[in-house]
Amino acid sequence: MTDTVIEISGVSKSYGGVVANHNISLKVPSGGITGLIGPNGSGKTTLFNSIVGYHPVDEGSIKFKGEEISTYRVPQIARLGLLRTFQQTRIYSNMNCIDNMLISIPHRKLGFADMFKNRGDKETMEEVDRLLDFVGLYEKRRLISGDLSFGQQKLLEFAMALMNRPEVLLLDEPTAGINPTLINGLIDRLRRANEELGITLFVIEHNMRVIMNMAQSIYCLAHGELLAHGTPDEVQNDQRVIDAYLGAH
Amino acid sequence: MWDNISILTAAPVFNIQLILDGLFIGSTFALAAYGLALVWGVMNVKNLAQGDFVIMGGYIAWWLGKQGIHPLWGLPISIVVMFTFGWLVYVTIIRRVIDKDMFTSLLATFGLAIVLAQALNLMFGPEVQTAESDFAIRSYFDNSVTVADIKLVAFALCGVLAVVVVLFMKNSRMGQAIRATAQDARAARVMGIDTDKVYAFTFSLNAAICGAAGALISMIWVIQPFYGIGHSIRSFVIVTAAGFGNLGGVIMAGLGLGVMEQYGGFVLGAEYQQACVVGLLVAVLIYRQLEMRRHRQVVQ
Amino acid sequence: MESFNPKLHLPILIFGIGAPFVIPGVTIQIAVLWVMVLFALTWDIMGGQMGYNSLGNILFFGSGMYISALVQISMFANVSEYTASSGAVDFTYTNSEYFWGLGWGILAAGIGSALLAASLGWTLFGLRGPYFAIGTLGIALTAGELMGTWEWVGAGGGLAMPVYPGSADGKSFMFYFMCFFAAIGTYLFCSWLYSTRFGLAINAIRDDEQKAEAMGIHTLRYKTIAWSVSAFFLGISGALFGNMTGFVEPLEVAFPVATFGIFMVAMSLLGGKGTLWGPILGAALFHVLKEFTWTYFLGWQWVALGVLIIVNVVFFQQGIMGWLMEKFPERFGIIVDKKETAK
């Protein structure tokens, strides 16, 4: 049995009058790719936001490698090695790609004095080049990131996340808005990040083909509650999941 | 300072004076703050020239008084003049900065504040002025408490204006368009609302509200070209404390600020009145920050 | 860190060192130019590089001035007696007293102002954009008024500074070079700072602070350090200016929000915020223009200042440096992919 890297128990979160998450419990096993699916408005991004510290939860506990993080703040959680990407890609748009990468080094590994050293020492630059090449942005590395195309910005955001050497990466709809011909390339890189770099992935996806092929285990949310859980085959054939997507409720 | 406090405890009737004066002036603060909340909530413009709009409205009323027209006429005239002025400002400046980053709109209104304050100084001189309204002054409690009728009138007028604006926002088509745009500008555009017109109207409405508040302030208190920033800070304090959509909160905070300023000025001395306002600003900001920390967020 | 570029740096050095010899009549004005350069550079650390527009940086100018004055006076005299006498009693300093006092005063001014920034930062830095701007503005405005009520430091009348032991020309000469070196020091420090990871971090905070936090950056720490650095140099400039002027008056000299305070913002905007040379260019251009045209405005120069800011912000946001970088990107090492950016 693999270790559980994220354990969520009984988490509920409401905004105003809307119950976004209700009594959700799930486990993300270490080392694999876990999917989170569900129709729009089922509370997936809210759950991600709760995990990484964007807002407090109303009830429940969230544990990262056994440590209770539900009261921690965003930078604290990031420094533990739990990162997320955003639904709307966020990068540092006035800096070039190299600088975006350089600032994404894991700050938990830096001492105070290290912040005052040269921004790009040899070792770091090699890693930057390697990761930019991994996502196919090496040629564009000196461009201002705000000038990149949408798909390229998504890749940059992904590369920045890798640069931060997370243990677990929460990906919020990584293929959204990507040209279908480029999706396979992205999937391939996600898989390689998981297998070669050992990063556990927890992925929100709407693209069923993508998530069913990538993930070993899938959770399905609907109306803020956990609807189903299992292997891709099990979940795909679960009548409740099918109904939820087709709006039978 | 302690002497002043002991006066308050020894003769409680003085408290009534402070509270009344605080409420009267606080109503104008609340009015101006409501305008800021409108502009901030609908257009995300943090208008640092808010206080200077107020002072401008004040000078309109004062100038009318100097021409022999009773400054109370300054209220409607100021509203019309400032509305037009606001529209002009929107078209020349605000429209161009509205979709740029936040600092741009902040600095642009900051520049505007400088222009207005300095222009008013050149036009009217640096003396502190009050618009004479020649209303009766009544005394109560053996002359311990004086109430100028004009202050009562101003208080009532603030209330009337607030009600008018609220009804307008609720019932008119423009009011509905404003609220729709505030919720989701893109959706509003899709529904056929001309958001540019909405923004222009909102900004002009704010200027008009400020003008009205200023006209009243010129009669019940004082105006001076460089007092604008003080009023801007007051509006910010009130909006920060009360939040945007909360008219009731704005009213309470405005009245509360007025009273606190009166007490601060009395207990600590008039020189400290500005310091009190800034102190309140810092206190409100710190309080919000601590509250946000509890909720794991930072103040937006 | 920029390497020594003879074409760029040499003329400035020559001008800076030679001016008081060649055109001694305008020594003080050029000294003020160097102070303006320092103003713009320090403002830009916060405003241009980090995205926190402080409208109250003048606070540290004034705090430095007062701290230095108090150190210089208190080292050899009793402060209350000094302020109470208002010049009636003769407090003359020996040469060594004067210079020791000045040296310690300047140092204390820098450090004290930096500490002030660090403690204020804790309160103000949880807040973003407009709150920070208006909060700093309010504090700067109040500081002048509060100092004006404090008897111990001379209240509204202010403090007279210890008198320079020597001729007026000698004094101008010495302070000129101190201002020049302060400006150079600020420039060198900024040049170095922007080449480090710290420089990257504050740029990240500017571009997307939430993202930076989500990536684990200690944003509060960097914000506080950046402000403390600005405050340090501003404090030193305040100490120098106070000594040059000869007396410290709270509203007009120490905390002139409406003049120097606003100049800090206007100059960086004009030259191009977020660049190293933008503020320097902006300060030079602004100061020179001002010296030549101010008097012709007959009172309307302050309105013109406001209009300048508006025009700059609305139409010319990138400033001179930004405009140059757009026109000639290759000269600045910026790569633009013509195909990709066909917008």
Side-chain angles (χ1 to χ4, degrees):
Chain A
M1 188 68 207
T2 50
D3 291 327
T4 301
V5 71
I6 298 179
E7 182 170 348
I8 298 174
S9 316
V11 160
S12 300
K13 172 72 187 170
S14 305
Y15 290 110
V18 178
V19 178
N21 292 142
H22 180 67
N23 197 18
I24 300 199
S25 300
L26 55 84
K27 293 190 178 156
V28 177
S30 167
I33 301 180
T34 306
L36 183 62
I37 65 172
N40 279 322
S42 49
K44 309 187 291 294
T45 300
T46 307
L47 189 61
F48 266 21
N49 286 342
S50 298
I51 297 174
V52 296
Y54 253 46
H55 50 226
V57 292
D58 299 333
E59 346 174 281
S61 111
I62 303 175
K63 292 205 176 117
F64 178 65
K65 298 199 292 183
E67 193 177 346
E68 180 65 45
I69 60 170
S70 55
T71 53
Y72 287 10
R73 277 180 268 127
V74 171
Q76 268 174 297
I77 294 180
R79 283 193 285 274
L80 290 175
L82 174 55
L83 285 192
R84 62 91 64 89
T85 62
F86 296 86
Q87 229 174 337
Q88 265 121 5
T89 311
R90 295 174 81 148
I91 51 174
Y92 305 116
S93 44
N94 289 314
M95 294 156 60
N96 65 28
C97 296
I98 295 181
D99 285 337
N100 268 268
M101 296 294 285
L102 285 174
I103 194 54
S104 299
I105 49 176
H107 283 258
R108 60 184 175 277
K109 306 224 159 90
L110 287 183
F112 182 73
D114 291 324
M115 281 311 289
F116 297 98
K117 303 223 176 103
N118 192 335
R119 27 169 85 180
D121 62 68
K122 189 157 169 294
E123 227 182 277
T124 315
M125 285 300 289
E126 280 173 13
E127 195 176 347
V128 167
D129 289 343
R130 205 169 26 88
L131 283 173
L132 283 177
D133 187 49
F134 178 68
V135 295
L137 285 176
Y138 184 76
E139 272 87 50
K140 310 246 180 277
R141 67 192 184 283
R142 291 195 192 281
L143 293 182
I144 302 289
S145 64
D147 293 339
L148 294 176
S149 76
F150 175 77
Q152 291 167 332
Q153 289 184 351
K154 259 204 140 125
L155 288 168
L156 177 63
E157 190 187 25
F158 181 54
M160 285 161 68
L162 294 180
M163 188 85 193
N164 207 276
R165 306 223 196 116
E167 287 197 42
V168 181
L169 185 53
L170 269 49
L171 292 159
D172 201 336
E173 298 193 36
T175 66
I178 303 272
N179 191 316
T181 56
L182 299 173
I183 285 186
N184 284 332
L186 180 59
I187 306 300
D188 183 55
R189 291 186 176 97
L190 289 177
R191 271 220 194 85
R192 283 170 60 193
N194 171 249
E195 287 160 19
E196 292 167 24
L197 301 174
I199 303 176
T200 305
L201 300 179
F202 190 18
V203 185
I204 293 179
E205 250 310 333
H206 275 298
N207 186 325
M208 288 301 134
R209 176 180 75 83
V210 163
I211 196 65
M212 294 300 168
N213 275 309
M214 258 206 321
Q216 289 96 35
S217 132
I218 300 199
Y219 285 91
C220 179
L221 295 185
H223 301 301
E225 295 189 344
L226 188 58
L227 190 62
H229 167 225
T231 64
D233 273 335
E234 289 166 2
V235 170
Q236 264 182 107
N237 296 312
D238 189 321
Q239 189 59 39
R240 297 168 299 170
V241 173
I242 298 170
D243 285 344
Y245 271 95
L246 291 178
H249 296 135
Chain B
M1 171 174 110
W2 298 109
D3 298 331
N4 292 332
I5 295 182
S6 55
I7 294 179
L8 288 177
T9 43
V13 75
F14 280 128
N15 287 286
I16 301 181
Q17 180 79 67
L18 291 177
I19 293 175
L20 280 178
D21 282 337
L23 291 176
F24 294 144
I25 194 72
S27 63
T28 59
F29 294 165
L31 194 60
Y34 183 62
L36 180 68
L38 211 56
V39 162
W40 193 330
V42 174
M43 302 160 65
N44 202 27
V45 167
K46 288 95 177 174
N47 185 21
L48 280 182
Q50 187 81 353
D52 297 278
F53 285 175
V54 169
I55 298 289
M56 237 180 110
Y59 271 104
I60 292 175
W62 175 81
W63 182 80
L64 284 174
K66 287 273 166 252
Q67 310 307 311
I69 306 173
H70 193 278
L72 255 183
W73 284 110
L75 189 61
I77 295 179
S78 179
I79 289 177
V80 170
V81 171
M82 290 306 292
F83 188 91
T84 321
F85 181 71
W87 199 283
L88 250 165
V89 168
Y90 174 80
V91 166
T92 50
I93 303 174
I94 307 293
R95 175 191 282 159
R96 298 179 213 263
V97 296
I98 215 173
D99 43 16
K100 304 234 182 100
D101 63 271
M102 178 175 33
F103 311 120
T104 312
S105 74
L106 200 68
L107 291 172
T109 55
F110 181 60
L112 181 64
I114 297 172
V115 169
L116 290 177
Q118 297 287 356
L120 286 172
N121 186 35
L122 285 169
M123 289 196 284
F124 298 112
E127 298 81 31
V128 169
Q129 313 279 11
T130 304
E132 297 301 332
S133 52
D134 294 327
F135 273 45
I137 300 183
R138 301 166 200 276
S139 327
Y140 300 95
F141 299 110
D142 285 330
N143 289 346
S144 317
V145 175
T146 52
V147 174
D149 269 358
I150 184 64
K151 292 193 184 178
L152 280 166
V153 171
F155 187 80
L157 284 171
C158 276
V160 167
L161 283 166
V163 168
V164 166
V165 173
V166 168
L167 284 176
F168 174 81
M169 293 294 284
K170 268 218 171 85
N171 299 329
S172 73
R173 286 191 59 198
M174 178 52 93
Q176 291 172 343
I178 293 176
R179 283 182 295 137
T181 311
Q183 295 224 2
D184 189 335
R186 235 186 314 165
R189 268 190 286 266
V190 166
M191 303 289 260
I193 293 178
D194 184 345
T195 49
D196 186 58
K197 274 242 164 53
V198 166
Y199 289 152
F201 191 89
T202 308
F203 195 82
S204 310
L205 180 62
N206 173 45
I209 292 175
C210 289
L216 294 172
I217 290 178
S218 74
M219 288 184 272
I220 66 175
W221 199 21
V222 290
I223 51 172
Q224 198 265 2
F226 297 107
Y227 280 6
I229 187 65
H231 287 288
S232 297
I233 294 180
R234 288 186 184 96
S235 294
F236 268 86
V237 172
I238 295 169
V239 170
T240 310
F244 299 143
N246 191 354
L247 177 62
V250 167
I251 295 176
M252 297 302 303
L255 295 175
L257 178 64
V259 172
M260 271 192 265
E261 241 187 84
Q262 291 297 312
Y263 269 92
F266 184 81
V267 170
L268 298 170
E271 329 83 85
Y272 290 97
Q273 197 153 345
Q274 165 99 304
C276 278
V277 180
V278 173
L280 273 171
L281 176 71
V282 175
V284 168
L285 293 180
I286 295 179
Y287 173 74
R288 271 203 82 186
Q289 189 189 336
L290 288 175
E291 226 199 299
M292 285 299 158
R293 264 189 206 229
R294 278 196 305 119
H295 293 272
R296 300 161 100 192
Q297 279 179 358
V298 282
V299 178
Q300 289 303 331
Chain C
M1 180 93 179
E2 282 191 343
S3 46
F4 184 72
N5 181 349
K7 272 194 283 186
L8 187 57
H9 295 126
L10 211 48
I12 298 180
L13 268 175
I14 295 176
F15 170 72
I17 297 178
F21 297 104
V22 175
I23 32 172
V26 288
T27 304
I28 296 288
Q29 282 87 330
I30 305 185
V32 175
L33 168 66
W34 299 124
V35 174
M36 293 291 131
V37 167
L38 188 150
F39 278 177
L41 279 171
T42 50
W43 186 86
D44 199 55
I45 298 176
M46 298 293 296
Q49 297 282 345
M50 202 166 86
Y52 272 75
N53 293 262
S54 163
L55 297 179
N57 265 10
I58 196 72
L59 173 71
F60 304 118
F61 179 75
S63 71
M65 199 183 287
Y66 266 101
I67 292 175
S68 175
L70 289 172
V71 165
Q72 288 173 258
I73 295 171
S74 64
M75 274 178 80
F76 306 106
N78 180 298
V79 178
S80 340
E81 283 174 21
Y82 188 95
T83 47
S85 79
S86 305
V89 180
D90 190 16
F91 287 88
T92 337
Y93 285 63
T94 66
N95 281 15
S96 82
E97 281 177 346
Y98 179 83
F99 288 107
W100 272 114
L102 183 63
W104 283 113
I106 293 175
L107 188 62
I111 296 178
S113 301
L115 288 174
L116 179 63
S119 45
L120 277 178
W122 179 85
T123 14
L124 293 179
F125 274 135
L127 322 158
R128 303 275 158 87
Y131 294 106
F132 185 73
I134 207 170
T136 51
L137 180 61
I139 290 179
L141 282 171
T142 321
E145 305 207 353
L146 286 179
M147 292 307 268
T149 61
W150 196 4
E151 288 298 328
W152 191 64
V153 295
L159 281 170
M161 296 299 290
V163 179
Y164 178 83
S167 68
D169 282 344
K171 178 185 177 189
S172 305
F173 204 78
M174 181 185 84
F175 279 106
Y176 170 87
F177 279 106
M178 293 180 92
C179 289
F180 181 54
F181 289 131
I184 297 222
T186 309
Y187 163 76
L188 288 173
F189 186 86
C190 286
S191 176
W192 167 77
L193 191 66
Y194 297 156
S195 73
T196 64
R197 292 198 179 110
F198 185 88
L200 271 182
I202 58 179
N203 287 157
I205 291 174
R206 172 194 63 199
D207 286 352
D208 195 332
E209 185 165 359
Q210 281 194 331
K211 173 78 179 176
E213 286 183 338
M215 298 291 280
I217 296 178
H218 291 96
T219 52
L220 182 61
R221 194 187 285 180
Y222 300 136
K223 291 193 275 196
T224 308
I225 293 176
W227 212 22
S228 303
V229 165
S230 308
F232 177 78
F233 289 107
L234 279 170
I236 290 178
S237 72
L240 292 175
F241 202 81
N243 275 286
M244 280 163 66
T245 315
F247 72 94
V248 176
E249 193 271 346
L251 288 169
E252 298 292 314
V253 182
F255 301 101
V257 179
T259 54
F260 282 177
I262 297 181
F263 293 172
M264 291 179 184
V265 182
M267 297 187 292
S268 304
L269 287 179
L270 181 65
K273 63 178 189 167
T275 61
L276 180 60
W277 281 90
I280 300 175
L281 255 175
L285 191 61
F286 182 85
H287 184 70
V288 168
L289 266 177
K290 186 168 138 301
E291 289 294 302
F292 282 115
T293 64
W294 217 230
T295 42
Y296 295 112
F297 276 100
L298 299 169
W300 288 86
Q301 60 265 31
W302 304 106
V303 178
L305 177 63
V307 172
L308 173 68
I309 292 180
I310 296 177
V311 168
N312 211 147
V313 162
V314 174
F315 296 106
F316 194 51
Q317 219 185 341
Q318 66 277 45
I320 298 176
M321 277 305 283
W323 182 81
L324 286 173
M325 281 159 86
E326 271 173 35
K327 282 275 176 212
F328 312 106
E330 311 78 39
R331 281 179 175 233
F332 297 97
I334 300 171
I335 316 275
V336 177
D337 188 339
K338 298 282 190 325
K339 275 189 298 159
E340 294 288 333
T341 59
K343 286 192 183 138

